[in-house]
Amino acid sequence: MAQTPERRMFLMWKAVKARHDYRRGERHSPLMKVAMRFGRPIREVREIIEVQKSR
């Protein structure tokens, strides 16, 4: 069974969040990076991640 786009967003967010270094001053937050990659608004991505977290 293939992963849903929502699940892929969540997994990408987790991976980016683990590598993200706030002290280095990276431009975009992990949430913003996922939103840009999938071409979705941040609000929508945030909701999707919240739903996936509770699964």
Side-chain angles (χ1 to χ4, degrees):
M1 185 171 82
Q3 289 179 337
T4 64
E6 289 81 12
R7 189 69 184 160
R8 286 201 321 268
M9 280 185 207
F10 176 69
L11 294 174
M12 180 184 172
W13 173 76
K14 272 179 55 174
V16 171
K17 191 174 142 204
R19 291 190 315 262
H20 189 75
D21 188 1
Y22 290 95
R23 293 167 297 174
R24 220 172 61 214
E26 292 188 16
R27 281 193 192 97
H28 301 297
S29 70
L31 195 62
M32 172 69 94
K33 288 179 183 176
V34 173
M36 289 188 307
R37 167 75 174 77
F38 285 89
R40 307 285 267 289
I42 288 183
R43 281 187 304 260
E44 190 176 316
V45 173
R46 188 179 294 129
E47 289 173 11
I48 289 168
I49 288 172
E50 288 302 317
V51 169
Q52 291 292 318
K53 272 188 198 175
S54 64
R55 287 182 68 206

